[in-house]
Amino acid sequence: MDDGVTIEDEGGPEIQNIQIENQDLKNQDLNFLQETVGPLFAEYGWYLLFMCVGVYLLVQHLSKRRKGTSKSTSGPMLDPDEVAKRQQALEASRKRMQEELDAKAALFKERRQQLEEEKRQQKIEMHESMEAGKSYKGNLKNAQDTEEPSTSTAVLKPKKDKKPLRSSDYNPLSGDGVLPCSFRGPRRRGPTAGGG
């Protein structure tokens, strides 16, 4: 290797090692950090600070959550007999609620069957009255009156001298009745007549 560099052995390998170490120490100076990191902090310093604070708070939050979940899983040990009693009480409660629900469903089904039977009876009565030539509306009103007695004692009577509000030839689409057509065209816009 002849690159134009000549190595002279002055004092042996120990001196060469010392010279190489001195060169390395010169390169390890902190000037290069100031040249590279200084402008970075000058431009993005606040962003880096807020990001570091955010990461710190996130780590704290996650560590609290991890402690909370580890406490709940390794919480106080429950007695197996107590757990069994709770489960039995829960099953008994569910069974009681199911029985109540079944009873309500049976009552609902019974009421629905009664209503259907009443409707069927009304249809039979209506059919029989129509075959006999009677009006069923009167029978239906009488049946409803007997089932639901009226609580009010005052009966409203219609007035005999009642005048109609409008004449029989009134048509709301014809306008106010004065003119057959009341359409006016749009106003023309033009120069205003004003003083000059």
Side-chain angles (χ1 to χ4, degrees):
M1 290 201 274
D2 189 25
D3 294 337
V5 176
T6 59
I7 300 176
E8 296 180 7
D9 191 16
E10 296 178 8
E14 296 169 353
I15 295 175
Q16 286 179 354
N17 288 340
I18 292 172
Q19 288 176 352
I20 292 173
E21 287 176 4
N22 284 339
Q23 289 176 354
D24 288 340
L25 287 177
K26 287 180 182 177
N27 287 340
Q28 291 181 357
D29 195 9
L30 296 179
N31 288 336
F32 79 94
L33 280 177
Q34 288 178 344
E35 292 172 358
T36 58
V37 178
L40 182 72
F41 275 116
E43 192 168 335
Y44 300 109
W46 287 108
Y47 297 114
L48 291 173
L49 178 68
F50 288 131
M51 188 171 61
C52 291
V53 169
V55 168
Y56 174 75
L57 292 175
L58 181 66
V59 168
Q60 292 295 325
H61 177 71
L62 292 177
S63 66
K64 286 179 183 179
R65 181 178 281 181
R66 184 179 300 158
K67 288 178 184 178
T69 56
S70 65
K71 286 181 181 179
S72 64
T73 56
S74 64
M77 292 294 191
L78 299 176
D79 187 28
D81 295 332
E82 187 176 322
V83 172
K85 287 179 185 178
R86 285 185 182 177
Q87 287 180 348
Q88 288 175 352
L90 186 61
E91 287 178 24
S93 152
R94 287 180 181 162
K95 188 175 182 179
R96 185 174 56 248
M97 289 172 65
Q98 185 65 40
E99 289 172 356
E100 289 175 4
L101 184 63
D102 290 341
K104 287 180 182 178
L107 284 173
F108 177 75
K109 188 175 182 181
E110 186 178 321
R111 287 180 189 164
R112 194 170 80 194
Q113 286 177 350
Q114 287 176 354
L115 287 175
E116 288 176 1
E117 182 65 27
E118 288 176 6
K119 286 182 183 179
R120 189 176 70 81
Q121 289 295 330
Q122 285 180 354
K123 285 182 181 180
I124 291 172
E125 289 175 8
M126 183 176 74
H127 184 67
E128 289 174 356
S129 68
M130 290 180 81
E131 283 182 353
K134 298 179 181 177
S135 173
Y136 184 69
K137 290 183 181 178
N139 294 341
L140 181 61
K141 288 181 182 178
N142 291 337
Q144 287 178 353
D145 289 340
T146 56
E147 289 177 4
E148 300 175 10
S150 178
T151 57
S152 64
T153 57
V155 178
L156 296 177
K157 296 182 182 178
K159 295 181 179 180
K160 292 181 182 178
D161 58 336
K162 195 174 188 183
K163 293 182 182 179
L165 294 175
R166 294 181 185 95
S167 63
S168 61
D169 62 341
Y170 174 74
N171 185 359
L173 298 177
S174 67
D176 59 355
V178 175
L179 295 174
C181 180
S182 62
F183 173 76
R184 290 186 184 178
R187 267 185 23 184
R188 294 184 185 223
R189 296 187 181 210
T192 60

